[in-house]
Amino acid sequence: MIVPLAVMQKEARKKGYAVPHFLGANFEMTLAAIEAAKECGSPLALGFAPEVFAMIPLEYAVPMLREAADRATVPVSIQLEHGTGYEILARAISLGMQSVMFDGSHLPVEENIQRTKEIVKMAHAFGCDVEAELGYVGGSALCDIESKESRETDPDIVLEFIQQSQVDSLAISFGNVHGRYRGEAKLNYALVEKIAGMTEVPLTMHGGSGLTKEQYKKSIEAGISNIHFYTNITLGLWKSLEELAKKRNSQPVYHEICGATIAYFKKEILNIMEICKSAGKA
């Protein structure tokens, strides 16, 4: 069943867990996440990121996510991630997305506020909630581009941003990065606590891959109610597929590769749902 992401996030914040958020870019990833959520009774958020999966048309991805979420027996939210323009967000909403993220983190604050406000007005008219990003979460899930440095969210402008934009949830930067962490991750939990103490708007963490269980625990306790995962659960897939290839003399049939991919993702996602403390919360 589809549940608005902001509603799911507020429930998670109230009960002290985080909604696990995974890319649902293709059928294998989507099915693995939903099957894992059903098995452990967890709410689930599935996203589509155009900059990561540019080869998959939005017109195919969104209906697939919508249908899968509708059929699920656990609460599922679907979201377009990191939309940077009015047109792609409007397309996603028209195709059935019930949450969109407008990423204006690269813009001057005033422009970020104004453009987020315009997106919120449009999205709310269609019953769709909006996430924005304040500060800048650096790094990248893409291997072939140079990643930019993060810029922490300024707590002094959080309330103005939220009040003017009327955004439903807020992605913040507190030492988290997209893709692989370079060296030891240093997360500013005090900043999360400060922002969480200022507003009831749910706080989202992008760049949730590769941290320790203790770092996830502290992030959730500080006020994060939604954590995004992608890079770390995909890197180990190759080893799993190599083992399958050895069993098949380097010639596995394609459907075997698909099956092994689903099984691998499901195992990894079940582990993450335990870490997020979302298991049993559906």
Side-chain angles (χ1 to χ4, degrees):
M1 70 192 91
I2 291 185
V3 175
L5 184 55
V7 171
M8 196 179 281
Q9 289 170 316
K10 288 176 181 176
E11 183 73 6
R13 178 166 175 174
K14 188 192 310 179
K15 295 185 178 178
Y17 65 93
V19 176
H21 196 299
F22 306 96
L23 283 186
N26 59 24
F27 181 74
E28 289 82 4
M29 297 172 80
T30 298
L31 181 61
I34 289 178
E35 288 299 313
K38 284 166 57 180
E39 184 169 313
C40 72
S42 172
L44 167 70
L46 291 170
F48 182 78
E51 81 282 9
V52 178
F53 286 95
M55 75 294 293
I56 300 176
L58 205 63
E59 286 73 14
Y60 288 86
V62 178
M64 183 270 293
L65 282 173
R66 178 90 197 190
E67 179 70 13
D70 267 336
R71 288 175 175 270
T73 55
V74 291
V76 181
S77 294
I78 57 173
Q79 181 190 52
L80 180 79
E81 300 181 43
H82 296 289
T84 57
Y86 194 96
E87 181 183 353
I88 192 168
L89 295 173
R91 279 172 57 208
I93 293 170
S94 71
L95 289 165
M97 230 19 140
Q98 52 81 247
S99 176
V100 295
M101 177 193 182
F102 171 64
D103 187 352
S105 59
H106 58 291
L107 302 171
V109 173
E110 287 304 320
E111 186 176 352
N112 191 0
I113 290 174
Q114 185 55 41
R115 292 186 64 184
T116 301
K117 186 176 180 179
E118 292 170 0
I119 296 297
V120 167
K121 184 178 180 181
M122 180 265 292
H124 283 184
F126 292 94
C128 180
D129 62 52
V130 179
E131 176 184 323
E133 185 172 320
L134 187 59
Y136 182 81
V137 179
S140 176
L142 304 175
C143 300
D144 56 352
I145 68 168
E146 185 177 346
S147 61
K148 296 180 180 178
E149 293 297 317
S150 295
R151 183 180 68 256
E152 281 195 344
T153 302
D154 182 352
D156 292 337
I157 59 177
V158 166
L159 284 183
E160 178 190 5
F161 186 92
I162 290 172
Q163 288 167 359
Q164 289 199 37
S165 68
Q166 293 297 297
V167 74
D168 299 289
S169 61
L170 187 67
I172 61 173
S173 176
F174 59 102
N176 47 317
V177 298
H178 293 288
R180 302 189 195 192
Y181 284 84
R182 298 176 180 177
E184 183 182 355
K186 296 180 180 179
L187 302 180
N188 188 347
Y189 306 112
L191 177 59
V192 181
E193 288 179 358
K194 184 172 183 177
I195 296 173
M198 297 165 59
T199 178
E200 293 184 357
V201 169
L203 304 179
T204 300
M205 178 184 185
H206 289 256
S209 290
L211 300 175
T212 66
K213 288 184 179 181
E214 185 65 15
Q215 286 171 317
Y216 292 122
K217 179 175 179 287
K218 287 183 177 180
S219 298
I220 295 168
E221 289 174 348
I224 293 296
S225 57
N226 187 4
I227 304 178
H228 288 235
F229 300 89
Y230 170 60
T231 303
N232 216 52
I233 66 170
T234 61
L235 292 176
L237 175 61
W238 290 111
K239 183 178 179 181
S240 177
L241 294 181
E242 284 172 355
E243 290 172 358
L244 172 65
K246 287 178 183 177
K247 293 177 182 177
R248 298 292 184 267
N249 296 317
S250 299
Q251 292 185 324
V253 183
Y254 181 65
H255 72 267
E256 293 180 309
I257 295 174
C258 293
T261 300
I262 293 168
Y264 173 82
F265 280 137
K266 181 181 176 182
K267 175 175 64 89
E268 292 296 309
I269 289 169
L270 280 168
N271 182 50
I272 287 171
M273 286 171 170
E274 291 296 330
I275 289 171
C276 287
K277 300 192 291 185
S278 65
K281 301 298 195 303

PDB file of all heavy atoms in Angstrom, residues 16 23 25 28 51 93 100 120 130 251:
ATOM      1  N   GLY A  16      11.095   6.702  17.118  1.00  0.00           N
ATOM      2  CA  GLY A  16      12.523   6.487  17.300  1.00  0.00           C
ATOM      3  C   GLY A  16      13.196   5.512  16.364  1.00  0.00           C
ATOM      4  O   GLY A  16      14.124   4.808  16.756  1.00  0.00           O
ATOM      5  N   LEU A  23      17.073   2.751  -3.625  1.00  0.00           N
ATOM      6  CA  LEU A  23      16.745   3.014  -5.019  1.00  0.00           C
ATOM      7  C   LEU A  23      15.931   1.860  -5.570  1.00  0.00           C
ATOM      8  O   LEU A  23      16.288   0.694  -5.382  1.00  0.00           O
ATOM      9  CB  LEU A  23      18.012   3.207  -5.852  1.00  0.00           C
ATOM     10  CG  LEU A  23      18.712   4.556  -5.728  1.00  0.00           C
ATOM     11  CD1 LEU A  23      19.865   4.640  -6.726  1.00  0.00           C
ATOM     12  CD2 LEU A  23      17.757   5.716  -5.937  1.00  0.00           C
ATOM     13  N   ALA A  25      15.365   1.352  -8.858  1.00  0.00           N
ATOM     14  CA  ALA A  25      15.624   1.713 -10.249  1.00  0.00           C
ATOM     15  C   ALA A  25      15.168   0.663 -11.242  1.00  0.00           C
ATOM     16  O   ALA A  25      14.847   0.969 -12.381  1.00  0.00           O
ATOM     17  CB  ALA A  25      17.116   1.989 -10.448  1.00  0.00           C
ATOM     18  N   GLU A  28      14.446  -5.851 -10.168  1.00  0.00           N
ATOM     19  CA  GLU A  28      15.157  -6.669  -9.190  1.00  0.00           C
ATOM     20  C   GLU A  28      15.319  -5.931  -7.864  1.00  0.00           C
ATOM     21  O   GLU A  28      15.084  -6.502  -6.784  1.00  0.00           O
ATOM     22  CB  GLU A  28      16.533  -7.094  -9.738  1.00  0.00           C
ATOM     23  CG  GLU A  28      16.483  -8.115 -10.851  1.00  0.00           C
ATOM     24  CD  GLU A  28      16.206  -7.507 -12.219  1.00  0.00           C
ATOM     25  OE1 GLU A  28      16.124  -6.258 -12.322  1.00  0.00           O
ATOM     26  OE2 GLU A  28      16.062  -8.267 -13.179  1.00  0.00           O
ATOM     27  N   GLU A  51      19.765  11.046 -12.071  1.00  0.00           N
ATOM     28  CA  GLU A  51      21.186  11.262 -12.373  1.00  0.00           C
ATOM     29  C   GLU A  51      21.998   9.976 -12.239  1.00  0.00           C
ATOM     30  O   GLU A  51      23.063   9.834 -12.841  1.00  0.00           O
ATOM     31  CB  GLU A  51      21.772  12.371 -11.466  1.00  0.00           C
ATOM     32  CG  GLU A  51      22.181  11.950 -10.063  1.00  0.00           C
ATOM     33  CD  GLU A  51      21.017  11.798  -9.103  1.00  0.00           C
ATOM     34  OE1 GLU A  51      19.840  11.842  -9.534  1.00  0.00           O
ATOM     35  OE2 GLU A  51      21.266  11.629  -7.902  1.00  0.00           O
ATOM     36  N   ILE A  93       5.320  13.620 -11.014  1.00  0.00           N
ATOM     37  CA  ILE A  93       4.015  13.700 -10.337  1.00  0.00           C
ATOM     38  C   ILE A  93       2.901  13.228 -11.267  1.00  0.00           C
ATOM     39  O   ILE A  93       2.002  12.482 -10.866  1.00  0.00           O
ATOM     40  CB  ILE A  93       3.761  15.131  -9.844  1.00  0.00           C
ATOM     41  CG1 ILE A  93       4.758  15.479  -8.722  1.00  0.00           C
ATOM     42  CG2 ILE A  93       2.325  15.280  -9.329  1.00  0.00           C
ATOM     43  CD1 ILE A  93       4.749  16.949  -8.333  1.00  0.00           C
ATOM     44  N   VAL A 100       8.290  13.981  -4.078  1.00  0.00           N
ATOM     45  CA  VAL A 100       9.401  14.407  -4.927  1.00  0.00           C
ATOM     46  C   VAL A 100      10.405  15.176  -4.082  1.00  0.00           C
ATOM     47  O   VAL A 100      10.052  15.805  -3.087  1.00  0.00           O
ATOM     48  CB  VAL A 100       8.945  15.287  -6.119  1.00  0.00           C
ATOM     49  CG1 VAL A 100       8.081  14.494  -7.075  1.00  0.00           C
ATOM     50  CG2 VAL A 100       8.215  16.539  -5.637  1.00  0.00           C
ATOM     51  N   VAL A 120       6.732  23.270  -4.160  1.00  0.00           N
ATOM     52  CA  VAL A 120       5.783  22.872  -3.117  1.00  0.00           C
ATOM     53  C   VAL A 120       4.358  23.243  -3.527  1.00  0.00           C
ATOM     54  O   VAL A 120       3.418  22.437  -3.378  1.00  0.00           O
ATOM     55  CB  VAL A 120       6.147  23.517  -1.764  1.00  0.00           C
ATOM     56  CG1 VAL A 120       4.998  23.358  -0.759  1.00  0.00           C
ATOM     57  CG2 VAL A 120       7.421  22.901  -1.202  1.00  0.00           C
ATOM     58  N   VAL A 130       6.851  17.151  -0.630  1.00  0.00           N
ATOM     59  CA  VAL A 130       8.126  17.628  -1.176  1.00  0.00           C
ATOM     60  C   VAL A 130       9.219  17.606  -0.113  1.00  0.00           C
ATOM     61  O   VAL A 130       9.023  18.057   1.008  1.00  0.00           O
ATOM     62  CB  VAL A 130       8.001  19.071  -1.722  1.00  0.00           C
ATOM     63  CG1 VAL A 130       9.350  19.558  -2.278  1.00  0.00           C
ATOM     64  CG2 VAL A 130       6.928  19.152  -2.798  1.00  0.00           C
ATOM     65  N   GLN A 251      29.321 -19.262 -17.333  1.00  0.00           N
ATOM     66  CA  GLN A 251      28.237 -19.070 -18.296  1.00  0.00           C
ATOM     67  C   GLN A 251      26.862 -19.219 -17.649  1.00  0.00           C
ATOM     68  O   GLN A 251      26.051 -20.034 -18.076  1.00  0.00           O
ATOM     69  CB  GLN A 251      28.379 -20.059 -19.454  1.00  0.00           C
ATOM     70  CG  GLN A 251      29.580 -19.800 -20.336  1.00  0.00           C
ATOM     71  CD  GLN A 251      29.600 -20.733 -21.538  1.00  0.00           C
ATOM     72  OE1 GLN A 251      29.207 -21.894 -21.444  1.00  0.00           O
ATOM     73  NE2 GLN A 251      30.048 -20.224 -22.668  1.00  0.00           N
TER      74      GLN A 251
END
